[in-house]
Amino acid sequence: MNGSMVTKPRCAVLDDYQGVALSSADWSPLAGRVDVRVLREHLTDRDALVAAIEDCEIVVVMRERTPMDAQVLKRLPRLRLIVTSGMRNASIDLAAAAGLGITVCGTASSSEPPAELTWALILGLARHVRTEAQALREGGPWQWTVGTDLAGRTLGLVGLGKIGGRVARVGLAFGMDVLAWSPNLTEARAAEQGVALAPGKRELMERSDIVSLHMVLSDRTRGLIGEAELGAMRPSAYLVNTSRADLVDGEALLRALREGRIAGAGLDVFATEPLAPEDPLRSLPNVLALPHLGYVTEGNYGRYFGQAVENIEAFLAGSPVRTLG
């Protein structure tokens, strides 16, 4: 165990929205060794966050819900270990953590859940599920809308990695023509997935009935879909984003939706989360939005918290595993 821990270390599990962190895995290996507490409420205020965890040597964070940047880390002198779900977390300043002697560890994460949720949004948009379900529940019109066929239509994927590849295979099973594009995607790689390589980003936007984003956010991909790309889409086309909000120019997307220049959007990620109550994305009729549920499944939570326990055990033993940075 780290020599600075002369008493039983304290661990805070942040942003356990559903209150399932402790029931999703077996935490008994830490019983009597670590004081574990769970914070269910998201703390956006830095002072409130620091006050809540400043006595902790260990913090477990869920995805990128709570930023752990240099300003926050410097105010947590007791902190020695951060465990994040997944093996990538852009909201943790790894360089600052290393400089402060803080170990950062990750966990496994499955690509199936976000791919499945992508199709929930695509089908929800194509068949107007929210509108029809609400009308039925409220005694409204019986059969109010006419759905969009998927068979024979074109699915355009921006990104063809693990998640994009899974989404592609479902599209092919539905009888869709699938195009893909990303800056480094080759024709051979696309062919391995049974899809066609679009000549360029604009061509993919122009030819697709549904555009789905599956890229990692970086300085190079931030704002990848902007005014020009949205303007190239068909008025009948939908944009789906279960990846990262900042891949898209948010203001340009709002304009396109408000002006009806695209048919609608299915969104599971937002620039600020939780989404503000007054945010227009909550109320626009052509938006199907979910509160970032792509990774939120029993299987993933079991992996996240089960391996969080393993990471803490290994750290206490002096041999950290799944380290990042």
Side-chain angles (χ1 to χ4, degrees), residues 155-170 172 178-198 204 212-216:
L155 171 64
L157 300 176
V158 180
L160 195 65
K162 290 182 180 179
I163 297 173
R166 289 185 178 278
V167 173
R169 291 193 288 275
V170 176
L172 292 170
V178 183
L179 291 175
W181 174 89
S182 71
N184 298 316
L185 183 63
T186 65
E187 188 170 355
R189 169 63 181 148
E192 288 176 5
Q193 298 288 341
V195 308
L197 176 67
L204 180 135
S212 189
L213 308 184
H214 303 285
M215 295 285 291
V216 173

PDB file of all heavy atoms in Angstrom, residues 155-170 172 178-198 204 212-216:
ATOM      1  N   LEU A 155     -27.268   4.159 -45.184  1.00  0.00           N
ATOM      2  CA  LEU A 155     -26.747   4.490 -43.869  1.00  0.00           C
ATOM      3  C   LEU A 155     -25.317   4.958 -44.034  1.00  0.00           C
ATOM      4  O   LEU A 155     -24.478   4.243 -44.580  1.00  0.00           O
ATOM      5  CB  LEU A 155     -26.792   3.256 -42.961  1.00  0.00           C
ATOM      6  CG  LEU A 155     -26.100   3.358 -41.603  1.00  0.00           C
ATOM      7  CD1 LEU A 155     -26.778   4.401 -40.717  1.00  0.00           C
ATOM      8  CD2 LEU A 155     -26.072   1.992 -40.912  1.00  0.00           C
ATOM      9  N   GLY A 156     -25.038   6.166 -43.576  1.00  0.00           N
ATOM     10  CA  GLY A 156     -23.690   6.713 -43.660  1.00  0.00           C
ATOM     11  C   GLY A 156     -23.039   6.749 -42.296  1.00  0.00           C
ATOM     12  O   GLY A 156     -23.595   7.339 -41.362  1.00  0.00           O
ATOM     13  N   LEU A 157     -21.890   6.107 -42.157  1.00  0.00           N
ATOM     14  CA  LEU A 157     -21.195   6.033 -40.887  1.00  0.00           C
ATOM     15  C   LEU A 157     -19.931   6.885 -40.927  1.00  0.00           C
ATOM     16  O   LEU A 157     -19.059   6.676 -41.775  1.00  0.00           O
ATOM     17  CB  LEU A 157     -20.820   4.584 -40.568  1.00  0.00           C
ATOM     18  CG  LEU A 157     -22.003   3.611 -40.472  1.00  0.00           C
ATOM     19  CD1 LEU A 157     -21.491   2.193 -40.255  1.00  0.00           C
ATOM     20  CD2 LEU A 157     -22.941   4.016 -39.347  1.00  0.00           C
ATOM     21  N   VAL A 158     -19.857   7.826 -40.018  1.00  0.00           N
ATOM     22  CA  VAL A 158     -18.639   8.610 -39.847  1.00  0.00           C
ATOM     23  C   VAL A 158     -17.834   7.917 -38.753  1.00  0.00           C
ATOM     24  O   VAL A 158     -18.076   8.111 -37.570  1.00  0.00           O
ATOM     25  CB  VAL A 158     -18.957  10.068 -39.471  1.00  0.00           C
ATOM     26  CG1 VAL A 158     -17.673  10.871 -39.295  1.00  0.00           C
ATOM     27  CG2 VAL A 158     -19.844  10.711 -40.531  1.00  0.00           C
ATOM     28  N   GLY A 159     -16.916   7.070 -39.170  1.00  0.00           N
ATOM     29  CA  GLY A 159     -16.172   6.232 -38.240  1.00  0.00           C
ATOM     30  C   GLY A 159     -16.601   4.785 -38.363  1.00  0.00           C
ATOM     31  O   GLY A 159     -17.799   4.482 -38.353  1.00  0.00           O
ATOM     32  N   LEU A 160     -15.628   3.890 -38.484  1.00  0.00           N
ATOM     33  CA  LEU A 160     -15.934   2.467 -38.662  1.00  0.00           C
ATOM     34  C   LEU A 160     -15.043   1.636 -37.739  1.00  0.00           C
ATOM     35  O   LEU A 160     -14.436   0.654 -38.163  1.00  0.00           O
ATOM     36  CB  LEU A 160     -15.742   2.063 -40.131  1.00  0.00           C
ATOM     37  CG  LEU A 160     -16.334   0.726 -40.573  1.00  0.00           C
ATOM     38  CD1 LEU A 160     -17.845   0.732 -40.479  1.00  0.00           C
ATOM     39  CD2 LEU A 160     -15.886   0.380 -41.992  1.00  0.00           C
ATOM     40  N   GLY A 161     -14.983   2.044 -36.476  1.00  0.00           N
ATOM     41  CA  GLY A 161     -14.246   1.276 -35.483  1.00  0.00           C
ATOM     42  C   GLY A 161     -15.099   0.165 -34.915  1.00  0.00           C
ATOM     43  O   GLY A 161     -16.000  -0.362 -35.578  1.00  0.00           O
ATOM     44  N   LYS A 162     -14.855  -0.196 -33.644  1.00  0.00           N
ATOM     45  CA  LYS A 162     -15.590  -1.296 -33.034  1.00  0.00           C
ATOM     46  C   LYS A 162     -17.088  -1.027 -33.017  1.00  0.00           C
ATOM     47  O   LYS A 162     -17.898  -1.908 -33.358  1.00  0.00           O
ATOM     48  CB  LYS A 162     -15.086  -1.536 -31.615  1.00  0.00           C
ATOM     49  CG  LYS A 162     -13.688  -2.116 -31.542  1.00  0.00           C
ATOM     50  CD  LYS A 162     -13.289  -2.359 -30.104  1.00  0.00           C
ATOM     51  CE  LYS A 162     -11.891  -2.948 -30.018  1.00  0.00           C
ATOM     52  NZ  LYS A 162     -11.481  -3.180 -28.605  1.00  0.00           N
ATOM     53  N   ILE A 163     -17.485   0.180 -32.609  1.00  0.00           N
ATOM     54  CA  ILE A 163     -18.913   0.497 -32.527  1.00  0.00           C
ATOM     55  C   ILE A 163     -19.485   0.712 -33.911  1.00  0.00           C
ATOM     56  O   ILE A 163     -20.537   0.162 -34.262  1.00  0.00           O
ATOM     57  CB  ILE A 163     -19.136   1.728 -31.635  1.00  0.00           C
ATOM     58  CG1 ILE A 163     -18.671   1.436 -30.212  1.00  0.00           C
ATOM     59  CG2 ILE A 163     -20.606   2.144 -31.639  1.00  0.00           C
ATOM     60  CD1 ILE A 163     -18.690   2.632 -29.290  1.00  0.00           C
ATOM     61  N   GLY A 164     -18.798   1.498 -34.735  1.00  0.00           N
ATOM     62  CA  GLY A 164     -19.276   1.737 -36.094  1.00  0.00           C
ATOM     63  C   GLY A 164     -19.426   0.457 -36.887  1.00  0.00           C
ATOM     64  O   GLY A 164     -20.376   0.287 -37.657  1.00  0.00           O
ATOM     65  N   GLY A 165     -18.487  -0.479 -36.694  1.00  0.00           N
ATOM     66  CA  GLY A 165     -18.579  -1.749 -37.402  1.00  0.00           C
ATOM     67  C   GLY A 165     -19.806  -2.542 -37.005  1.00  0.00           C
ATOM     68  O   GLY A 165     -20.456  -3.179 -37.848  1.00  0.00           O
ATOM     69  N   ARG A 166     -20.142  -2.526 -35.702  1.00  0.00           N
ATOM     70  CA  ARG A 166     -21.352  -3.227 -35.241  1.00  0.00           C
ATOM     71  C   ARG A 166     -22.606  -2.571 -35.824  1.00  0.00           C
ATOM     72  O   ARG A 166     -23.547  -3.256 -36.227  1.00  0.00           O
ATOM     73  CB  ARG A 166     -21.408  -3.225 -33.719  1.00  0.00           C
ATOM     74  CG  ARG A 166     -20.372  -4.127 -33.071  1.00  0.00           C
ATOM     75  CD  ARG A 166     -20.536  -4.190 -31.571  1.00  0.00           C
ATOM     76  NE  ARG A 166     -19.562  -5.098 -30.980  1.00  0.00           N
ATOM     77  CZ  ARG A 166     -19.701  -6.414 -30.924  1.00  0.00           C
ATOM     78  NH1 ARG A 166     -20.794  -6.973 -31.409  1.00  0.00           N
ATOM     79  NH2 ARG A 166     -18.770  -7.165 -30.382  1.00  0.00           N
ATOM     80  N   VAL A 167     -22.622  -1.262 -35.842  1.00  0.00           N
ATOM     81  CA  VAL A 167     -23.772  -0.555 -36.411  1.00  0.00           C
ATOM     82  C   VAL A 167     -23.907  -0.885 -37.897  1.00  0.00           C
ATOM     83  O   VAL A 167     -25.011  -1.087 -38.414  1.00  0.00           O
ATOM     84  CB  VAL A 167     -23.628   0.963 -36.195  1.00  0.00           C
ATOM     85  CG1 VAL A 167     -24.730   1.736 -36.927  1.00  0.00           C
ATOM     86  CG2 VAL A 167     -23.667   1.289 -34.699  1.00  0.00           C
ATOM     87  N   ALA A 168     -22.782  -0.973 -38.584  1.00  0.00           N
ATOM     88  CA  ALA A 168     -22.802  -1.304 -40.010  1.00  0.00           C
ATOM     89  C   ALA A 168     -23.427  -2.662 -40.257  1.00  0.00           C
ATOM     90  O   ALA A 168     -24.248  -2.833 -41.177  1.00  0.00           O
ATOM     91  CB  ALA A 168     -21.378  -1.269 -40.562  1.00  0.00           C
ATOM     92  N   ARG A 169     -23.057  -3.660 -39.451  1.00  0.00           N
ATOM     93  CA  ARG A 169     -23.565  -5.014 -39.678  1.00  0.00           C
ATOM     94  C   ARG A 169     -25.078  -5.083 -39.484  1.00  0.00           C
ATOM     95  O   ARG A 169     -25.769  -5.817 -40.206  1.00  0.00           O
ATOM     96  CB  ARG A 169     -22.840  -5.999 -38.755  1.00  0.00           C
ATOM     97  CG  ARG A 169     -21.375  -6.183 -39.131  1.00  0.00           C
ATOM     98  CD  ARG A 169     -20.735  -7.364 -38.433  1.00  0.00           C
ATOM     99  NE  ARG A 169     -20.510  -7.137 -37.022  1.00  0.00           N
ATOM    100  CZ  ARG A 169     -19.447  -6.524 -36.518  1.00  0.00           C
ATOM    101  NH1 ARG A 169     -18.528  -6.016 -37.328  1.00  0.00           N
ATOM    102  NH2 ARG A 169     -19.293  -6.394 -35.210  1.00  0.00           N
ATOM    103  N   VAL A 170     -25.603  -4.324 -38.547  1.00  0.00           N
ATOM    104  CA  VAL A 170     -27.061  -4.295 -38.364  1.00  0.00           C
ATOM    105  C   VAL A 170     -27.720  -3.622 -39.557  1.00  0.00           C
ATOM    106  O   VAL A 170     -28.760  -4.070 -40.049  1.00  0.00           O
ATOM    107  CB  VAL A 170     -27.429  -3.582 -37.049  1.00  0.00           C
ATOM    108  CG1 VAL A 170     -28.944  -3.460 -36.912  1.00  0.00           C
ATOM    109  CG2 VAL A 170     -26.853  -4.340 -35.855  1.00  0.00           C
ATOM    110  N   LEU A 172     -26.667  -3.582 -42.610  1.00  0.00           N
ATOM    111  CA  LEU A 172     -26.662  -4.544 -43.713  1.00  0.00           C
ATOM    112  C   LEU A 172     -27.748  -5.594 -43.512  1.00  0.00           C
ATOM    113  O   LEU A 172     -28.408  -6.011 -44.479  1.00  0.00           O
ATOM    114  CB  LEU A 172     -25.291  -5.209 -43.804  1.00  0.00           C
ATOM    115  CG  LEU A 172     -24.133  -4.295 -44.236  1.00  0.00           C
ATOM    116  CD1 LEU A 172     -22.795  -5.005 -44.048  1.00  0.00           C
ATOM    117  CD2 LEU A 172     -24.308  -3.855 -45.686  1.00  0.00           C
ATOM    118  N   VAL A 178     -24.707   0.605 -47.002  1.00  0.00           N
ATOM    119  CA  VAL A 178     -23.922   1.239 -45.947  1.00  0.00           C
ATOM    120  C   VAL A 178     -22.656   1.842 -46.537  1.00  0.00           C
ATOM    121  O   VAL A 178     -21.866   1.168 -47.199  1.00  0.00           O
ATOM    122  CB  VAL A 178     -23.555   0.227 -44.839  1.00  0.00           C
ATOM    123  CG1 VAL A 178     -22.793   0.936 -43.718  1.00  0.00           C
ATOM    124  CG2 VAL A 178     -24.817  -0.434 -44.287  1.00  0.00           C
ATOM    125  N   LEU A 179     -22.494   3.147 -46.271  1.00  0.00           N
ATOM    126  CA  LEU A 179     -21.290   3.884 -46.628  1.00  0.00           C
ATOM    127  C   LEU A 179     -20.540   4.236 -45.352  1.00  0.00           C
ATOM    128  O   LEU A 179     -21.152   4.406 -44.295  1.00  0.00           O
ATOM    129  CB  LEU A 179     -21.644   5.198 -47.342  1.00  0.00           C
ATOM    130  CG  LEU A 179     -22.241   5.159 -48.736  1.00  0.00           C
ATOM    131  CD1 LEU A 179     -22.617   6.585 -49.151  1.00  0.00           C
ATOM    132  CD2 LEU A 179     -21.225   4.592 -49.717  1.00  0.00           C
ATOM    133  N   ALA A 180     -19.235   4.387 -45.456  1.00  0.00           N
ATOM    134  CA  ALA A 180     -18.460   4.808 -44.296  1.00  0.00           C
ATOM    135  C   ALA A 180     -17.359   5.751 -44.738  1.00  0.00           C
ATOM    136  O   ALA A 180     -16.863   5.682 -45.873  1.00  0.00           O
ATOM    137  CB  ALA A 180     -17.872   3.605 -43.568  1.00  0.00           C
ATOM    138  N   TRP A 181     -16.996   6.624 -43.807  1.00  0.00           N
ATOM    139  CA  TRP A 181     -15.885   7.543 -44.046  1.00  0.00           C
ATOM    140  C   TRP A 181     -15.266   7.929 -42.713  1.00  0.00           C
ATOM    141  O   TRP A 181     -15.971   8.080 -41.710  1.00  0.00           O
ATOM    142  CB  TRP A 181     -16.351   8.821 -44.752  1.00  0.00           C
ATOM    143  CG  TRP A 181     -15.237   9.833 -44.873  1.00  0.00           C
ATOM    144  CD1 TRP A 181     -14.340   9.942 -45.884  1.00  0.00           C
ATOM    145  CD2 TRP A 181     -14.889  10.843 -43.908  1.00  0.00           C
ATOM    146  NE1 TRP A 181     -13.449  10.946 -45.622  1.00  0.00           N
ATOM    147  CE2 TRP A 181     -13.776  11.526 -44.411  1.00  0.00           C
ATOM    148  CE3 TRP A 181     -15.414  11.212 -42.679  1.00  0.00           C
ATOM    149  CZ2 TRP A 181     -13.163  12.569 -43.725  1.00  0.00           C
ATOM    150  CZ3 TRP A 181     -14.816  12.245 -41.978  1.00  0.00           C
ATOM    151  CH2 TRP A 181     -13.706  12.921 -42.509  1.00  0.00           C
ATOM    152  N   SER A 182     -13.971   8.064 -42.695  1.00  0.00           N
ATOM    153  CA  SER A 182     -13.241   8.736 -41.628  1.00  0.00           C
ATOM    154  C   SER A 182     -11.910   9.148 -42.235  1.00  0.00           C
ATOM    155  O   SER A 182     -11.531   8.669 -43.318  1.00  0.00           O
ATOM    156  CB  SER A 182     -13.049   7.822 -40.412  1.00  0.00           C
ATOM    157  OG  SER A 182     -12.124   6.796 -40.691  1.00  0.00           O
ATOM    158  N   PRO A 183     -11.179  10.040 -41.581  1.00  0.00           N
ATOM    159  CA  PRO A 183      -9.952  10.550 -42.207  1.00  0.00           C
ATOM    160  C   PRO A 183      -8.960   9.470 -42.607  1.00  0.00           C
ATOM    161  O   PRO A 183      -8.238   9.640 -43.592  1.00  0.00           O
ATOM    162  CB  PRO A 183      -9.381  11.463 -41.118  1.00  0.00           C
ATOM    163  CG  PRO A 183     -10.567  11.940 -40.346  1.00  0.00           C
ATOM    164  CD  PRO A 183     -11.505  10.761 -40.334  1.00  0.00           C
ATOM    165  N   ASN A 184      -8.888   8.375 -41.865  1.00  0.00           N
ATOM    166  CA  ASN A 184      -7.880   7.351 -42.153  1.00  0.00           C
ATOM    167  C   ASN A 184      -8.465   6.035 -42.673  1.00  0.00           C
ATOM    168  O   ASN A 184      -7.744   5.061 -42.809  1.00  0.00           O
ATOM    169  CB  ASN A 184      -7.057   7.068 -40.889  1.00  0.00           C
ATOM    170  CG  ASN A 184      -6.295   8.286 -40.413  1.00  0.00           C
ATOM    171  OD1 ASN A 184      -5.694   9.004 -41.212  1.00  0.00           O
ATOM    172  ND2 ASN A 184      -6.321   8.545 -39.110  1.00  0.00           N
ATOM    173  N   LEU A 185      -9.769   6.016 -42.931  1.00  0.00           N
ATOM    174  CA  LEU A 185     -10.400   4.774 -43.370  1.00  0.00           C
ATOM    175  C   LEU A 185      -9.985   4.436 -44.797  1.00  0.00           C
ATOM    176  O   LEU A 185     -10.020   5.291 -45.691  1.00  0.00           O
ATOM    177  CB  LEU A 185     -11.922   4.906 -43.281  1.00  0.00           C
ATOM    178  CG  LEU A 185     -12.719   3.651 -43.638  1.00  0.00           C
ATOM    179  CD1 LEU A 185     -12.417   2.515 -42.664  1.00  0.00           C
ATOM    180  CD2 LEU A 185     -14.222   3.964 -43.632  1.00  0.00           C
ATOM    181  N   THR A 186      -9.610   3.171 -44.998  1.00  0.00           N
ATOM    182  CA  THR A 186      -9.219   2.720 -46.326  1.00  0.00           C
ATOM    183  C   THR A 186     -10.329   1.891 -46.956  1.00  0.00           C
ATOM    184  O   THR A 186     -11.210   1.375 -46.270  1.00  0.00           O
ATOM    185  CB  THR A 186      -7.946   1.860 -46.250  1.00  0.00           C
ATOM    186  OG1 THR A 186      -8.233   0.660 -45.515  1.00  0.00           O
ATOM    187  CG2 THR A 186      -6.817   2.621 -45.578  1.00  0.00           C
ATOM    188  N   GLU A 187     -10.240   1.752 -48.263  1.00  0.00           N
ATOM    189  CA  GLU A 187     -11.225   0.942 -48.985  1.00  0.00           C
ATOM    190  C   GLU A 187     -11.156  -0.511 -48.531  1.00  0.00           C
ATOM    191  O   GLU A 187     -12.188  -1.177 -48.395  1.00  0.00           O
ATOM    192  CB  GLU A 187     -10.966   1.044 -50.484  1.00  0.00           C
ATOM    193  CG  GLU A 187     -12.045   0.401 -51.332  1.00  0.00           C
ATOM    194  CD  GLU A 187     -11.896   0.717 -52.803  1.00  0.00           C
ATOM    195  OE1 GLU A 187     -11.004   1.511 -53.166  1.00  0.00           O
ATOM    196  OE2 GLU A 187     -12.684   0.170 -53.605  1.00  0.00           O
ATOM    197  N   ALA A 188      -9.949  -0.996 -48.253  1.00  0.00           N
ATOM    198  CA  ALA A 188      -9.793  -2.383 -47.806  1.00  0.00           C
ATOM    199  C   ALA A 188     -10.449  -2.595 -46.447  1.00  0.00           C
ATOM    200  O   ALA A 188     -11.124  -3.608 -46.228  1.00  0.00           O
ATOM    201  CB  ALA A 188      -8.313  -2.737 -47.751  1.00  0.00           C
ATOM    202  N   ARG A 189     -10.261  -1.665 -45.550  1.00  0.00           N
ATOM    203  CA  ARG A 189     -10.855  -1.786 -44.214  1.00  0.00           C
ATOM    204  C   ARG A 189     -12.376  -1.735 -44.311  1.00  0.00           C
ATOM    205  O   ARG A 189     -13.085  -2.496 -43.630  1.00  0.00           O
ATOM    206  CB  ARG A 189     -10.329  -0.669 -43.314  1.00  0.00           C
ATOM    207  CG  ARG A 189     -11.043  -0.516 -41.984  1.00  0.00           C
ATOM    208  CD  ARG A 189     -10.895  -1.722 -41.106  1.00  0.00           C
ATOM    209  NE  ARG A 189     -11.612  -1.540 -39.853  1.00  0.00           N
ATOM    210  CZ  ARG A 189     -12.190  -2.512 -39.172  1.00  0.00           C
ATOM    211  NH1 ARG A 189     -12.125  -3.752 -39.621  1.00  0.00           N
ATOM    212  NH2 ARG A 189     -12.818  -2.273 -38.048  1.00  0.00           N
ATOM    213  N   ALA A 190     -12.902  -0.843 -45.139  1.00  0.00           N
ATOM    214  CA  ALA A 190     -14.348  -0.771 -45.324  1.00  0.00           C
ATOM    215  C   ALA A 190     -14.878  -2.080 -45.906  1.00  0.00           C
ATOM    216  O   ALA A 190     -15.924  -2.594 -45.471  1.00  0.00           O
ATOM    217  CB  ALA A 190     -14.707   0.407 -46.227  1.00  0.00           C
ATOM    218  N   ALA A 191     -14.160  -2.629 -46.871  1.00  0.00           N
ATOM    219  CA  ALA A 191     -14.596  -3.868 -47.512  1.00  0.00           C
ATOM    220  C   ALA A 191     -14.625  -5.023 -46.520  1.00  0.00           C
ATOM    221  O   ALA A 191     -15.478  -5.916 -46.621  1.00  0.00           O
ATOM    222  CB  ALA A 191     -13.668  -4.193 -48.683  1.00  0.00           C
ATOM    223  N   GLU A 192     -13.713  -5.014 -45.538  1.00  0.00           N
ATOM    224  CA  GLU A 192     -13.719  -6.062 -44.512  1.00  0.00           C
ATOM    225  C   GLU A 192     -15.033  -6.085 -43.741  1.00  0.00           C
ATOM    226  O   GLU A 192     -15.479  -7.131 -43.274  1.00  0.00           O
ATOM    227  CB  GLU A 192     -12.562  -5.836 -43.528  1.00  0.00           C
ATOM    228  CG  GLU A 192     -11.197  -6.127 -44.092  1.00  0.00           C
ATOM    229  CD  GLU A 192     -10.102  -5.783 -43.093  1.00  0.00           C
ATOM    230  OE1 GLU A 192     -10.443  -5.409 -41.943  1.00  0.00           O
ATOM    231  OE2 GLU A 192      -8.921  -5.879 -43.451  1.00  0.00           O
ATOM    232  N   GLN A 193     -15.651  -4.916 -43.603  1.00  0.00           N
ATOM    233  CA  GLN A 193     -16.933  -4.808 -42.897  1.00  0.00           C
ATOM    234  C   GLN A 193     -18.124  -4.941 -43.847  1.00  0.00           C
ATOM    235  O   GLN A 193     -19.277  -4.842 -43.408  1.00  0.00           O
ATOM    236  CB  GLN A 193     -17.005  -3.459 -42.168  1.00  0.00           C
ATOM    237  CG  GLN A 193     -15.957  -3.262 -41.097  1.00  0.00           C
ATOM    238  CD  GLN A 193     -16.224  -4.118 -39.871  1.00  0.00           C
ATOM    239  OE1 GLN A 193     -17.336  -4.584 -39.652  1.00  0.00           O
ATOM    240  NE2 GLN A 193     -15.200  -4.351 -39.067  1.00  0.00           N
ATOM    241  N   GLY A 194     -17.845  -5.140 -45.127  1.00  0.00           N
ATOM    242  CA  GLY A 194     -18.918  -5.302 -46.101  1.00  0.00           C
ATOM    243  C   GLY A 194     -19.581  -4.012 -46.513  1.00  0.00           C
ATOM    244  O   GLY A 194     -20.720  -4.020 -47.014  1.00  0.00           O
ATOM    245  N   VAL A 195     -18.888  -2.879 -46.323  1.00  0.00           N
ATOM    246  CA  VAL A 195     -19.482  -1.588 -46.652  1.00  0.00           C
ATOM    247  C   VAL A 195     -18.618  -0.877 -47.680  1.00  0.00           C
ATOM    248  O   VAL A 195     -17.470  -1.245 -47.936  1.00  0.00           O
ATOM    249  CB  VAL A 195     -19.646  -0.715 -45.388  1.00  0.00           C
ATOM    250  CG1 VAL A 195     -20.388  -1.484 -44.306  1.00  0.00           C
ATOM    251  CG2 VAL A 195     -18.311  -0.231 -44.861  1.00  0.00           C
ATOM    252  N   ALA A 196     -19.179   0.172 -48.268  1.00  0.00           N
ATOM    253  CA  ALA A 196     -18.469   0.941 -49.281  1.00  0.00           C
ATOM    254  C   ALA A 196     -17.805   2.149 -48.640  1.00  0.00           C
ATOM    255  O   ALA A 196     -18.339   2.756 -47.706  1.00  0.00           O
ATOM    256  CB  ALA A 196     -19.433   1.392 -50.376  1.00  0.00           C
ATOM    257  N   LEU A 197     -16.636   2.506 -49.132  1.00  0.00           N
ATOM    258  CA  LEU A 197     -15.939   3.697 -48.673  1.00  0.00           C
ATOM    259  C   LEU A 197     -16.455   4.901 -49.440  1.00  0.00           C
ATOM    260  O   LEU A 197     -16.416   4.940 -50.672  1.00  0.00           O
ATOM    261  CB  LEU A 197     -14.430   3.547 -48.893  1.00  0.00           C
ATOM    262  CG  LEU A 197     -13.577   4.761 -48.546  1.00  0.00           C
ATOM    263  CD1 LEU A 197     -13.604   5.032 -47.037  1.00  0.00           C
ATOM    264  CD2 LEU A 197     -12.139   4.571 -49.034  1.00  0.00           C
ATOM    265  N   ALA A 198     -16.962   5.894 -48.736  1.00  0.00           N
ATOM    266  CA  ALA A 198     -17.401   7.125 -49.383  1.00  0.00           C
ATOM    267  C   ALA A 198     -16.172   7.899 -49.864  1.00  0.00           C
ATOM    268  O   ALA A 198     -15.135   7.901 -49.198  1.00  0.00           O
ATOM    269  CB  ALA A 198     -18.209   7.971 -48.410  1.00  0.00           C
ATOM    270  N   LEU A 204     -20.482  11.547 -48.338  1.00  0.00           N
ATOM    271  CA  LEU A 204     -21.242  10.697 -47.424  1.00  0.00           C
ATOM    272  C   LEU A 204     -22.478  11.426 -46.911  1.00  0.00           C
ATOM    273  O   LEU A 204     -23.566  10.863 -46.852  1.00  0.00           O
ATOM    274  CB  LEU A 204     -20.363  10.260 -46.257  1.00  0.00           C
ATOM    275  CG  LEU A 204     -21.065   9.358 -45.223  1.00  0.00           C
ATOM    276  CD1 LEU A 204     -20.172   8.191 -44.839  1.00  0.00           C
ATOM    277  CD2 LEU A 204     -21.466  10.127 -43.976  1.00  0.00           C
ATOM    278  N   SER A 212     -24.705   8.457 -38.983  1.00  0.00           N
ATOM    279  CA  SER A 212     -24.434   8.103 -37.590  1.00  0.00           C
ATOM    280  C   SER A 212     -22.953   8.299 -37.298  1.00  0.00           C
ATOM    281  O   SER A 212     -22.095   7.866 -38.071  1.00  0.00           O
ATOM    282  CB  SER A 212     -24.846   6.649 -37.323  1.00  0.00           C
ATOM    283  OG  SER A 212     -24.781   6.346 -35.953  1.00  0.00           O
ATOM    284  N   LEU A 213     -22.653   8.948 -36.166  1.00  0.00           N
ATOM    285  CA  LEU A 213     -21.283   9.330 -35.841  1.00  0.00           C
ATOM    286  C   LEU A 213     -20.662   8.354 -34.849  1.00  0.00           C
ATOM    287  O   LEU A 213     -21.261   8.053 -33.810  1.00  0.00           O
ATOM    288  CB  LEU A 213     -21.257  10.738 -35.239  1.00  0.00           C
ATOM    289  CG  LEU A 213     -21.972  11.833 -36.035  1.00  0.00           C
ATOM    290  CD1 LEU A 213     -21.781  13.177 -35.359  1.00  0.00           C
ATOM    291  CD2 LEU A 213     -21.484  11.877 -37.480  1.00  0.00           C
ATOM    292  N   HIS A 214     -19.445   7.910 -35.157  1.00  0.00           N
ATOM    293  CA  HIS A 214     -18.742   6.945 -34.304  1.00  0.00           C
ATOM    294  C   HIS A 214     -17.242   7.232 -34.316  1.00  0.00           C
ATOM    295  O   HIS A 214     -16.433   6.365 -34.651  1.00  0.00           O
ATOM    296  CB  HIS A 214     -19.039   5.517 -34.758  1.00  0.00           C
ATOM    297  CG  HIS A 214     -20.495   5.214 -34.763  1.00  0.00           C
ATOM    298  ND1 HIS A 214     -21.205   4.986 -33.608  1.00  0.00           N
ATOM    299  CD2 HIS A 214     -21.395   5.166 -35.786  1.00  0.00           C
ATOM    300  CE1 HIS A 214     -22.474   4.794 -33.914  1.00  0.00           C
ATOM    301  NE2 HIS A 214     -22.617   4.898 -35.221  1.00  0.00           N
ATOM    302  N   MET A 215     -16.900   8.458 -33.899  1.00  0.00           N
ATOM    303  CA  MET A 215     -15.509   8.892 -33.879  1.00  0.00           C
ATOM    304  C   MET A 215     -15.079   9.243 -32.462  1.00  0.00           C
ATOM    305  O   MET A 215     -15.880   9.673 -31.633  1.00  0.00           O
ATOM    306  CB  MET A 215     -15.336  10.136 -34.767  1.00  0.00           C
ATOM    307  CG  MET A 215     -15.584   9.894 -36.251  1.00  0.00           C
ATOM    308  SD  MET A 215     -14.230   8.998 -37.045  1.00  0.00           S
ATOM    309  CE  MET A 215     -12.947  10.234 -37.002  1.00  0.00           C
ATOM    310  N   VAL A 216     -13.796   9.088 -32.195  1.00  0.00           N
ATOM    311  CA  VAL A 216     -13.215   9.556 -30.936  1.00  0.00           C
ATOM    312  C   VAL A 216     -13.043  11.067 -31.022  1.00  0.00           C
ATOM    313  O   VAL A 216     -12.633  11.601 -32.062  1.00  0.00           O
ATOM    314  CB  VAL A 216     -11.855   8.871 -30.688  1.00  0.00           C
ATOM    315  CG1 VAL A 216     -11.164   9.475 -29.476  1.00  0.00           C
ATOM    316  CG2 VAL A 216     -12.053   7.374 -30.507  1.00  0.00           C
TER     317      VAL A 216
END
